[in-house]
Amino acid sequence: EVRHLDHTSEEFEAEAVSFIVCTRYGINSPSVEYLNEYYAKNKTIPQISVENIFTACNIILNMIEGISLKQGILYKYDDDFKKMINGIR
């Protein structure tokens, strides 16, 4: 089913996804400020799909966690990069 969202709902969902994914990796994201400010100003949130937010997060997290930096060309040819990757994984 195709959903037709207004710009505000699209942006709110995107910011929610950004917040969740960034939080998962300990990255500070301005998304939390956007979400808090939106709610403070409007005392409600726009029409959104929590299911779609979590689906998008799941897809993004699976893509991130599926990346093998050790298979890339940079790892193969850059000794400093190789040392850095070996140190964190």
Side-chain angles (χ1 to χ4, degrees):
E1 176 180 330
V2 175
R3 296 182 321 141
H4 298 284
L5 298 177
D6 60 32
H7 177 74
T8 302
S9 296
E10 287 177 344
E11 187 162 351
F12 197 91
E13 284 188 7
E15 294 290 346
V17 170
S18 174
F19 169 72
I20 293 167
V21 171
C22 289
T23 299
R24 168 76 167 84
Y25 289 99
I27 300 169
N28 291 328
S29 169
S31 295
V32 69
E33 294 167 13
Y34 171 86
L35 297 169
N36 284 332
E37 287 174 12
Y38 183 93
Y39 184 77
K41 179 180 177 184
N42 298 289
K43 302 298 183 214
T44 187
I45 62 172
Q47 184 94 21
I48 60 168
S49 168
V50 173
E51 180 181 358
N52 285 351
I53 291 169
F54 286 129
T55 299
C57 290
N58 189 47
I59 291 168
I60 292 167
L61 292 171
N62 283 334
M63 286 189 306
I64 292 169
E65 292 171 6
I67 294 172
S68 175
L69 296 174
K70 291 183 178 181
Q71 294 175 341
I73 195 164
L74 193 57
Y75 183 85
K76 185 175 180 180
Y77 294 109
D78 186 325
D79 289 335
D80 290 334
F81 182 77
K82 185 183 285 188
K83 287 176 189 173
M84 182 184 70
I85 295 303
N86 289 339
I88 61 172
R89 293 203 177 214

